Amino acid sequence: DSRGNYNWGGLDNLVNQSNAAGINVMLSVVKAPGWARPGNTDHSVEGPPANPQDFANFLGAMAAHFKGRVKAYEVWNEQNLHYEWGNEPLSAARYTQLLCASYGAIKANDPGAVVVSGALTPTGVNDGRLAIDDVQYLRQMMANGAGRCANGIGAHPSGYNTPATVRAGWNNPAEPQFKGLRSFFFRSTMEAYRSVLNAYGQGGKKIWVTEFGWATVENLGAGPAAGYEYAGQNTEGEQAQYLVDAFNLARQWGWVGPMFVWNLNFAPVAGPADEKAAFGLVRNDWSERPAYGALRDMPK
């Protein structure tokens, strides 16, 4: 609640339990406290700090505290979207300042830690106010030197109601909604990011998929949440197939880093009607969906 005042207790417990279970940990730092936010921000949503050095100091202290226990840090989240940026003017240049300050602080305190740029979100909107198209924003990040300040490039390639293996242009006459735009296609988004990195001489950087998945309300006992109607068009079997296919594609490509499935258990945590529940690998009674077993059993 004030500059330089840190409390790691709850995080220590989670990190230590994960380490004991043999799980590598990445921490995503995606919020700034109220005291660090600028005067023109909207406090009803999350947003960046006024001074990027405040954020960098926090991440440096975090890297020192968790050295050897936390493998990677993701710097912010979906910064090309207005409500993740305090409803302030969207700016890849300003974000890159935040990233580079954080990169320096993390590396100074834990040289072995992996720094991942904040994952962009495919928006389908590119008005410069509500959102900047993720591929365009990534170009702007690279043009501002973000490639020098990240070991991996964060991505949230959504799959909507399309298979993992198809590209934009593919259609299903029975399910014509959520098609057409590149934003609706996992594969096209990933390949577009790769092209940007290659164009800026950053082809050696892997794309870290820090959130992805396919939503289905089958066997949840609740219909799709508003805005997530595609979750009524995916079956549990399709969810399983698309997730496995996505991992297999990434393995074939060779330029993808770790991939984090979104999510494990929001159905029992938030209830079956919550939009996050449809992405889960377990139902609200904790029974396993087909995707759970498919991911468990696929070759690693």
Side-chain angles (χ1 to χ4, degrees):
D1 58 1
S2 61
R3 183 181 281 109
N5 181 21
Y6 308 127
N7 179 3
W8 309 114
L11 271 182
D12 266 326
N13 186 39
L14 290 170
V15 169
N16 290 341
Q17 287 186 57
S18 298
N19 282 191
I23 297 171
N24 291 334
V25 176
M26 180 188 76
L27 294 179
S28 298
V29 184
V30 303
K31 300 179 181 182
W35 62 261
R37 305 265 302 268
N40 68 331
T41 198
D42 178 354
H43 286 278
S44 71
V45 295
E46 303 304 339
N51 180 1
Q53 195 57 48
D54 285 332
F55 193 76
N57 290 343
F58 176 79
L59 279 169
M62 177 176 269
H65 181 80
F66 288 106
K67 184 177 181 180
R69 292 186 290 154
V70 169
K71 302 292 187 185
Y73 297 89
E74 183 179 24
V75 181
W76 214 258
N77 174 71
E78 299 187 350
Q79 58 271 14
N80 62 317
L81 193 58
H82 69 105
Y83 60 76
E84 300 285 356
W85 201 246
N87 281 322
E88 299 171 42
L90 298 171
S91 170
R94 183 178 166 201
Y95 170 72
T96 300
Q97 291 179 336
L98 189 72
L99 174 65
C100 289
S102 302
Y103 180 88
I106 292 168
K107 292 295 187 178
N109 288 281
D110 185 0
V114 175
V115 179
V116 181
S117 63
L120 303 174
T121 184
T123 62
V125 175
N126 188 37
D127 64 1
R129 185 180 65 86
L130 294 176
I132 295 176
D133 174 79
D134 47 324
V135 174
Q136 179 176 319
Y137 194 103
L138 182 59
R139 285 195 200 101
Q140 294 170 0
M141 281 174 55
M142 292 299 118
N144 278 279
R148 299 191 300 272
C149 302
N151 305 115
I153 304 301
H156 287 174
S158 302
Y160 291 85
N161 58 358
T162 64
T165 53
V166 301
R167 294 185 174 96
W170 179 89
N171 191 32
N172 178 355
E175 301 172 2
Q177 299 84 14
F178 301 97
K179 304 294 190 297
L181 291 175
R182 186 267 312 158
S183 299
F184 297 135
F185 293 81
F186 169 87
R187 180 171 191 165
S188 288
T189 292
M190 290 292 287
E191 292 177 338
Y193 288 11
R194 174 66 174 170
S195 294
V196 171
L197 296 183
N198 284 339
Y200 281 89
Q202 298 294 324
K205 295 277 187 341
K206 291 194 173 180
I207 298 172
W208 283 48
V209 180
T210 59
E211 179 183 310
F212 84 113
W214 278 266
T216 172
V217 294
E218 186 179 15
N219 295 320
L220 278 189
Y228 295 81
E229 289 78 13
Y230 56 86
Q233 299 178 354
N234 295 325
T235 66
E236 287 189 326
E238 287 173 331
Q239 179 193 46
Q241 187 65 55
Y242 298 166
L243 284 167
V244 171
D245 286 347
F247 277 104
N248 286 335
L249 259 182
R251 186 179 288 118
Q252 292 166 25
W253 285 332
W255 39 262
V256 181
M259 294 168 63
F260 296 69
V261 174
W262 173 261
N263 58 62
L264 175 64
N265 61 345
F266 264 109
V269 170
D274 188 283
E275 76 274 4
K276 297 184 289 294
F279 291 88
L281 302 183
V282 298
R283 306 182 189 101
N284 48 304
D285 62 358
W286 289 93
S287 59
E288 297 174 5
R289 298 179 112 176
Y292 186 99
L295 292 170
R296 179 194 61 218
D297 297 338
M298 75 177 186
K300 303 297 191 294

